[in-house]
């Protein structure tokens, strides 16, 4: 055979061998790639048909739209979209679920009776009537409304005065517009020279309540430097204005007083005159830097990602609509526009533990030597704890594999708003055994259970603060409510005197971190016999105010750590959104719930307040951290079960000395290296709540 032909054949043979080897190696490499872990649903499954969970489900977009259409038909063409409403207009402020009566709900859940009519509660501002007022209207049945019932007098004992109405976003905008167009032009030289004001570099923060007596609607407004991407809350400039905005016509609004560096002035015109005359002491405040101390941009280059929690065998719970189910717990959740997170019909292994566990109020009371801060008593339900539940960030606000649930609301505008991913549900690995024992007396064995819990979470970003609300359900039948405070602190301008530091600490060049108290109020409607569950508070030690002492300016519900009352439909809430703007003549008084009534053998509700004192310090800049700023309650079974129910948890571990603990058949934890060889099936990251 020709030598050239032989060489060609050899070359082709080598090429063929290399090609086959490459194919073999790559195919083996492909098969050796770890398999995908069982998928975990990154979002809730569609709503269920009308059933157990639908009793407490938030109104759907279709239901909200149907209610608005019905109200527009019934209330006439004079109805204005709340987003553009003036105080003299009629507008629908909010629409949300009207919770069913408990007796009717239980008759349906436990005895198979027909479900109670599904209804909505609408709050309407009637600013255009001869006697302006706020009305509460029940609309039903849904999804096709045909009736409207005014329940204002029934619930509040009479008409609701118009000055008690919560602030519309439109009213806040009109207030700032009045200051920018009418008041600030009275001091152009002072504002430009001292604060570098150019028409956009100042922003307002309001105090509440608005006034000092019932009927007032006059608000202290402090000005802060405003630079895009920088938290305004850490940049007070020392100028505060008292705006009277009670008149229904914004043209009649006027600034009553001005406060600057410890002195009061009649108006900004006087301040401008004294500045030009050289008679005014000033503190020139430069504009904050975009990457300065108040920025949340990282100060470090990117590094390794934090640990990731995932479920190698798939999720151990399911979310369908608002119904959450695991092998131990079932419950439904809701999201009140004003009160925020709430869960219903909470059952452990099929037995109801509680009918309702819900947030009622979130209060912060401040102190300082400037009028805006010393006046501040925020009752955040009036702003809307649910309304301000913004989209959660996967992997930061919630574990990456959490189930994200969208919320739809209608408040402050005539259109339905989507809050994408505003609630997350997940199983929390706690990194701590729930129970364990290593026995070495007489016999040798180990038994334990890794701590985990089912969590439903939302975060309310109300102004400067972010409140992280969790309801936590444990495998031993315990139920926990907890709240973490984070976000920016509320600050005041530090005028320079030592007396100012009596109200907090210096956290910036001329910035006072103002001392304040947080109080969080919960409703626990337990459905367990006698004393089979006990309530414990998780909070720092606090001083309790005696009944004989002069009441503080704040909701009476927060004076008591624990109150137990008989359950009444007319006492369904401990606070009111109308309290914020008239704390002197409250629409409802929680103290009236406490009347020495007989509790034995009755359906009872526990009202719990958890609180803490916050004295801001330098490490609260740029944000307060969640660590150390957590309070809540814990409901623990007490002779409710015959034994610790967590002993039935499928993840329990037990092995003896003569057993091979490395075998999956003996110890389920031994399977982890094999199970963890799969690749987590993670959903792509996206965020759409801006």
């Amino acid at each position: 055979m020709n030598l050239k032909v032989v060489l060609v054949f050899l070359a082709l043979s080598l090429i063929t061998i290399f090609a086959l080897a490459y194919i073999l190696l790559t195919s083996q490499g492909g098969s050796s790639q770890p398999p995908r872990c069982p998928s975990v649903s990154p979002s809730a499954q569609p709503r269920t048909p009308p059933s157990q969970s639908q009793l407490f489900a938030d109104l759907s977009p279709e239901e909200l739209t149907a209610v608005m259409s019905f109200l527009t038909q019934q209330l006439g063409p004079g109805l204005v979209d709340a987003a553009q409403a003036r105080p003299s207009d009629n507008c629908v402020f909010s629409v949300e679920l009207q919770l069913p009566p408990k007796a009717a709900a239980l008759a349906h859940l436990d005895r198979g009776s027909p479900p109670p009519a599904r209804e909505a509660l609408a709050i309407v501002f009637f600013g255009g009537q001869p006697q302006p007022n706020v009305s509460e209207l029940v609309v039903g049945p849904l999804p096709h409304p045909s009736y409207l019932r005014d329940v204002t007098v029934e619930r509040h004992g009479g008409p609701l005065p118009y000055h008690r109405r919560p602030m519309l976003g439109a009213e806040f905008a009109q207030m700032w517009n009045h200051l920018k167009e009418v008041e600030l032009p009275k001091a152009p030289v002072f504002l430009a020279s001292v604060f570098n004001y150019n028409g956009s570099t100042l922003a307002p923060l309001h105090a509440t309540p608005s006034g000092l007596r019932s009927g007032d609607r006059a608000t202290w407004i402090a000005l802060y430097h405003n630079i895009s991407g920088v938290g305004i809350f850490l940049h007070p400039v020392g100028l505060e204005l008292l705006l009277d905005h009670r008149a229904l016509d914004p043209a009649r609004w006027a600034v009553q007083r001005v406060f600057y560096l410890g002195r009061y002035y009649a108006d900004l015109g006087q301040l401008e005159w004294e500045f030009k005359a050289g008679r005014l002491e000033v503190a020139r405040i430069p504009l904050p830097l975009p990457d300065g101390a108040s920025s949340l941009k990282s100060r470090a280059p990117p590094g390794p990602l934090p640990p990731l929690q995932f479920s190698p065998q798939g999720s151990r719970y399911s979310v369908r609509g608002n119904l959450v189910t695991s092998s131990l717990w079932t419950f439904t959740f809701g999201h009140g526009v004003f009160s925020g997170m709430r869960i219903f019909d909470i059952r452990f292994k099929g037995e109801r533990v509680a009918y309702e566990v819900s947030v009622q109020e979130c209060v912060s009371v401040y102190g300082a030597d400037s009028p805006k801060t010393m006046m501040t008593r925020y009752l955040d339900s009036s702003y809307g704890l649910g309304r301000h539940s913004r989209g959660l960030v996967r992997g930061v606000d919630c574990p990456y594999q959490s189930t994200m649930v969208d919320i739809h609301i209608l408040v402050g505008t005539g259109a339905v708003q989507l809050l994408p991913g505003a609630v997350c549900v997940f199983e929390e690995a706690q990194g701590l055994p729930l129970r364990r024992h290593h026995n070495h007396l007489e016999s040798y064995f180990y038994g334990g259970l890794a701590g985990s819990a089912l969590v439903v979470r939302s975060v309310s970003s109300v102004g400067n603060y972010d409140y992280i609300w969790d309801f936590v359900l444990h495998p031993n039948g315990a139920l926990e409510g907890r709240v973490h405070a984070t976000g920016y602190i509320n600050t005041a301008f530090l005028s320079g005197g030592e007396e100012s530091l009596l109200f907090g600490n210096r956290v910036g060049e001329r910035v006072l971190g103002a001392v304040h108290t947080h109080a969080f109020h919960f409703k626990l409607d337990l459905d367990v016999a006698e004393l089979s569950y006990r309530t414990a508070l998780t909070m720092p030690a606090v001083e309790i105010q005696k009944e004989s002492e002069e009441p503080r300016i704040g909701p009476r519900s927060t004076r008591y750590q624990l109150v137990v009352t008989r359950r009444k439909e007319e006492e369904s809430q401990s606070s009111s959104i109308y309290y914020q703007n008239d704390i002197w003549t409250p629409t409802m008084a929680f103290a009236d719930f406490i009347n020495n009534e007989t509790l034995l053998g009755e359906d009872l509700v526990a009202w719990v307040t958890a609180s803490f004192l916050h004295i801001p310090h330098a490490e609260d800049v740029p944000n307060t951290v969640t660590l150390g700023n957590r309070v809540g309650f814990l409901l623990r079974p007490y002779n409710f079960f015959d034994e610790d129910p967590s002993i039935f948890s499928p993840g329990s571990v037990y092995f003896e000395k003569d057993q091979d603990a490395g075998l999956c058949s003996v110890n389920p934890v031994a399977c982890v290296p094999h199970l963890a060889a799969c690749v987590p099936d993670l959903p792509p990251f996206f965020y759409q709540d801006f």
Side-chain angles (χ1 to χ4, degrees), residues 410-464:
L410 198 156
V411 58
T413 177
V416 178
Q417 297 169 272
L418 168 67
L419 305 180
V423 172
C424 68
V425 182
F426 57 93
E427 191 170 15
E428 181 178 72
Q430 299 179 324
L432 181 76
L434 179 66
R435 54 173 173 79
R436 61 96 66 193
H437 178 67
H438 183 279
N439 197 77
H440 55 88
L441 297 176
E442 303 299 333
S443 61
Y444 296 88
F445 61 86
Y446 173 87
L449 176 65
S452 64
L454 187 59
V455 182
V456 56
R457 169 177 294 171
S458 72
V459 180
S460 303
S461 299
V462 189
N464 57 301

Side-chain angles (χ1 to χ4, degrees), residues 351-353 526-533 638 640:
E351 186 165 2
R352 184 179 297 113
V353 172
L526 304 183
D527 274 8
V528 287
E530 299 175 355
L531 298 177
S532 46
Y533 263 71
Y638 188 81
F640 184 68

Side-chain angles (χ1 to χ4, degrees), residues 178-434:
H178 176 87
L179 292 183
K180 287 185 68 175
E181 294 187 359
V182 178
E183 303 295 342
L184 297 188
K186 296 177 181 178
V189 178
F190 167 74
L191 294 173
S193 301
V194 179
F195 305 139
N196 295 288
Y197 178 60
N198 64 4
S200 64
T201 50
L202 290 175
L205 290 178
H206 304 73
T208 51
S210 297
L212 295 172
R213 62 189 64 84
S214 182
D216 283 353
R217 205 169 179 87
T219 302
W220 275 104
I221 302 170
L223 300 185
Y224 290 69
H225 267 145
N226 178 35
I227 300 296
S228 178
V230 173
I232 66 172
F233 312 100
L234 299 181
H235 299 288
V237 299
L239 181 62
E240 303 182 3
L241 306 95
L242 177 60
L243 177 65
D244 185 346
H245 52 109
R246 184 177 182 182
L248 300 187
D249 181 3
R252 296 172 53 199
W253 293 354
V255 165
Q256 295 180 323
R257 302 292 296 276
V258 171
F259 178 85
Y260 181 64
L261 294 189
R263 290 182 56 196
Y264 289 91
Y265 301 86
D267 56 23
L268 282 173
Q270 180 187 358
L271 203 67
E272 176 85 346
W273 184 87
E274 293 198 15
F275 176 72
K276 288 180 176 179
R279 297 170 53 181
L280 184 69
E281 178 188 354
V282 299
R284 298 183 187 275
I285 309 299
L287 292 175
L289 299 174
D291 296 323
S294 60
S295 171
L296 296 183
K297 296 177 183 177
S298 177
R299 312 286 203 273
L305 293 174
L308 176 68
Q309 174 186 324
F310 75 101
S311 303
Q313 291 183 290
S315 175
R316 300 194 298 180
Y317 67 89
S318 67
V319 181
R320 186 170 182 83
N322 72 318
L323 175 65
V324 181
T325 305
S326 73
S327 62
L328 298 175
W329 291 96
T330 62
F331 64 91
T332 61
F333 65 89
H335 206 248
V337 168
F338 303 107
S339 59
M341 281 285 295
R342 52 196 187 191
I343 56 177
F344 298 94
D345 196 23
I346 305 131
R347 303 182 188 222
F348 183 79
K349 300 187 73 172
E351 186 165 2
R352 184 179 297 113
V353 172
Y355 176 77
E356 175 188 355
V357 177
S358 57
V359 179
Q360 294 289 299
E361 188 57 274
C362 172
V363 179
S364 50
V365 180
Y366 284 81
D369 57 358
S370 71
K372 177 262 179 184
T373 310
M374 73 172 67
M375 280 288 297
T376 297
R377 280 99 174 96
Y378 289 133
L379 281 69
D380 286 335
S381 70
S382 69
Y383 294 98
L385 293 171
R387 175 187 188 179
H388 291 286
S389 294
R390 313 310 305 181
L392 302 173
V393 174
R394 189 184 293 278
V396 181
D397 296 328
C398 311
Y400 200 94
Q401 283 192 308
S402 298
T403 303
M404 313 300 285
V405 184
D406 295 342
I407 299 295
H408 294 89
I409 61 171
L410 198 156
V411 58
T413 177
V416 178
Q417 297 169 272
L418 168 67
L419 305 180
V423 172
C424 68
V425 182
F426 57 93
E427 191 170 15
E428 181 178 72
Q430 299 179 324
L432 181 76
L434 179 66

